[in-house]
């Protein structure tokens, strides 16, 4: 079961700012009551009935309010909490304010009195700081800290009860809640028996969402509940391909799931045991894939799940609907030889008749599917793999390294709405691909051309001008010089005072590396290295080139070139031909060497 973790928190997530001054109260804190209503439960906010139409995530809060949402939840209290509460106030949203409690899998020890005392103080300070804020709906004490076994460790639940009792004493005007990973084991029993001061049970549930009302009651649940995370089935709840990849639903299919869970497990239980729910995630995140749980794309475009919740919350669909997509189809099947080209078919349409654009992207599959929701880095993108595209198909050249890759199709309309489909593809190793992969292992990172080494405003990427040689103490490099730039507002001004006999600078990847670290770029498709140069006076002789690392180094350049050039006092374009060179790994992308005092200028260095 997932656990959305805030990147700002430590591994045990206890590091919050305890000594910051309290946020000034701009209004009296809300009075939130949990009351019996016709045999069920209801929240009252300042006396008015309130059913949680919520989401979890950092996406657009203005759109959340426009879509009919009235609440969002957080997972921890920290330096960003005042800003979150201000956004809530700006858009008339309530906040289920969460306190992150340490997880044993992250190293937290519920047998350590000092750790428990620190955690208790963290909660106490948070309540004192924010209890007067009018947009705090409730206090949520912990998220899935019970672990993934039976979930009945009494030390954890006794601590939760101690915190809940303290919170109710500090703020008697709001209810308390805690959140578990689904309902398995003895979670329901533990919360009901060991935590009398927990008013509401929060449940994170995905594939099991529609059956929560039945299962919760069968397990003895009598406290009111809320679905604190719901969305598409997780990777742990889906089938697998023959090569053990998890197929992902399209954004259109996911929208139907959000709608179904809301209708069956939340709306149907209103004024009974359910107080509402939080769709996950109102934003985007890398988890298993780049899109599995996101209700938005990384560019901010909304997906069908947003439309589904808008209609569920307001009774009407939004004015502009997201495109609709069907699952991708791989012509010839989802297994192919590494290095081969495959054709993938897409069917997409727009309910509003808007023109659509499609972007295709091939990414490496995650090495393993995590189940805790911890931070995951994005996987590698293979930009050169997409060799042909249209709105209904793409031709993809699989990498020569065998393994699992995932092809994404991102469909956009003209109004900020989108759809997504992806498919995993297994690249099978062959003798030819094995040989190609061995060559690729000695190559640099793939890139697209033209690749700019230096231009207006650049100083350190993709190659860093970090390799100072010879009389380096006499070298001055100013990448932001405004003295007669060739293009844009600046150029690079270089001065050497001649004190060391000779000096030079090498552009390196990684920075400050002379062949001991992996790096560099595969520039096999480049035919020319071009740059513009001029001397301050004219007549300056400078040696220019690239590729200074020889084969005596573990990670060397696969090609090199050096040429002495006499500069003019006006900008002149210089060209170094690259045809016929092995450019599979260029770690030192540019260099200059001077053996006399000189001032000269460079601009627009690029591989083309």
């Amino acid at each position: 079961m997932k656990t959305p973790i805030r990147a700002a928190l430590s591994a045990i997530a206890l590091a919050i700012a305890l000594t910051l001054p309290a946020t000034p109260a701009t209004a009296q804190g809300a009075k939130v009551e949990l009351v019996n209503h016709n045999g069920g439960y209801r929240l009252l906010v300042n006396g008015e009935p309130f059913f949680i139409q919520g989401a979890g995530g950092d996406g657009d809060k203005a759109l959340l309010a426009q879509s009919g949402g009235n609440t969002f939840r957080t997972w921890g209290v920290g330096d960003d909490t005042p800003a979150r509460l201000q956004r809530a106030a700006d858009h008339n949203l309530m906040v289920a304010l969460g306190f992150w409690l340490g997880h044993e899998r992250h190293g937290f020890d519920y047998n350590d009195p000092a750790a428990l005392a620190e955690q208790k103080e963290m909660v106490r300070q948070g309540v004192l700081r924010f209890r007067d804020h009018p947009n705090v709906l409730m206090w949520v004490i912990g998220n899935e800290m019970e672990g993934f076994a039976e979930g009945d460790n009494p030390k954890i639940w006794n601590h939760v009860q101690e915190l809940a009792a303290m919170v109710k004493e500090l703020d008697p005007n709001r209810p308390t809640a805690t959140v578990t990973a689904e309902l398995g084991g003895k979670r329901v029993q533990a919360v009901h028996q060991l935590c009398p001061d927990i008013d509401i049970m929060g449940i994170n549930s995905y594939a099991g969402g529609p059956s929560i009302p039945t299962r919760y009651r069968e397990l003895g649940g009598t406290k009111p509940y809320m679905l604190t995370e719901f969305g598409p089935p997780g990777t742990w709840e889906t089938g697998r391909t023959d090569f053990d990849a998890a197929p992902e639903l399209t954004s259109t299919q996911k929208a139907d799931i959000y709608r179904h869970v809301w209708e069956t497990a939340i709306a149907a239980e209103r004024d009974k045991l359910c107080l509402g729910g939080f769709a996950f995630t109102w934003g985007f995140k890398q988890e298993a894939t780049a899109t599995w749980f996101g209700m938005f794309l990384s560019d901010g475009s909304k997906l069908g799940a947003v439309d589904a919740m808008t209609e569920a919350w307001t009774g009407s669909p939004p004015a502009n609907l997201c495109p609709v997509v069907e699952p991708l189809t791989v012509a010839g099947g989802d297994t192919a030889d590494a290095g081969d080209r495959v054709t993938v078919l897409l069917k997409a349409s727009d309910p509003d008749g808007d023109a659509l654009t499609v972007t295709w992207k091939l990414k490496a599959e995650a090495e393993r599917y995590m189940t805790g929701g911890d931070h995951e880095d994005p996987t590698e993108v293979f930009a050169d793999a997409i060799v042909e595209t249209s709105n209904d198909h793409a031709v993809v050249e699989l990498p020569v390294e065998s393994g699992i890759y995932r092809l994404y199709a991102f469909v956009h309309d003209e109004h900020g709405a989108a759809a997504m489909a992806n498919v995993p593809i297994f690249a099978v190793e062959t003798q030819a691909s094995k040989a190609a992969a061995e060559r690729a292992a000695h190559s640099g990172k793939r890139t697209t051309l033209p690749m700019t080494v230096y231009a207006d405003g650049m100083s350190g990427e993709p190659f860093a001008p970090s390799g100072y040689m010879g009389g380096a103490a006499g070298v001055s490099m100013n990448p932001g010089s405004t003295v007669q730039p060739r293009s844009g507002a600046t150029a690079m001004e270089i001065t050497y005072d001649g004190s060391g006999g000779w000096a030079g600078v090498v552009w390196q990847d990684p920075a400050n590396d002379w062949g001991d670290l992996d790096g560099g770029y595969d520039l096999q498709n480049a035919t020319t290295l071009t740059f513009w140069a001029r001397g301050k006076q004219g007549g300056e002789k400078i040696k220019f080139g690239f590729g200074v690392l020889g084969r005596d180094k573990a990670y060397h350049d696969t090609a090199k070139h050096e040429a002495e050039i006499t500069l003019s006092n006006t900008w002149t374009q210089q060209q170094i031909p690259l045809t016929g060179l092995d450019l599979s790994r260029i770690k030192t992308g540019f260099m200059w060497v001077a053996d006399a005092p000189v001032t000269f200028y460079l601009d627009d260095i690029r591989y083309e």
Side-chain angles (χ1 to χ4, degrees), residues 214-287:
T214 299
R215 291 188 291 125
Y216 183 60
R217 288 178 171 87
E218 289 175 347
L219 291 167
T222 57
K223 293 177 184 280
Y225 74 84
M226 54 187 180
L227 259 65
T228 36
E229 293 177 21
F230 70 91
T235 54
W236 61 92
E237 299 170 308
T238 64
R240 292 287 191 272
T241 65
D242 292 340
F243 46 89
D244 202 32
E248 180 176 345
L249 299 176
T250 69
S251 58
T252 303
Q253 293 170 319
K254 292 177 189 177
D256 292 336
I257 290 176
Y258 281 92
R259 182 183 297 106
H260 181 60
V261 174
W262 181 267
E263 291 174 348
T264 57
I266 301 173
E269 289 290 311
R270 182 169 184 164
D271 291 337
K272 297 177 184 178
L273 283 184
C274 187
L275 301 175
F278 297 84
F280 186 85
T281 176
W282 192 266
F284 69 92
K285 66 176 298 193
Q286 168 72 40
E287 185 166 343

Side-chain angles (χ1 to χ4, degrees), residues 241 288 389 440 487 495 583:
T241 65
T389 65
S487 63
T495 299
L583 304 173

Side-chain angles (χ1 to χ4, degrees), residues 319-371:
N320 179 62
L321 293 170
C322 289
V324 173
V325 294
E326 297 183 15
L328 298 178
T329 301
V330 184
D334 57 6
T335 299
D337 290 345
D340 277 4
R341 292 187 174 186
V342 297
T343 299
V344 180
L345 307 177
L346 167 69
K347 291 184 179 180
S349 60
D350 190 86
D352 307 312
D354 294 335
L356 299 178
T357 58
V358 182
T359 302
W360 299 84
K361 186 176 294 186
L362 186 73
K363 302 190 71 174
E365 187 74 339
E367 293 185 2
R368 58 191 178 118
Y369 303 134
M370 309 292 285
T371 58

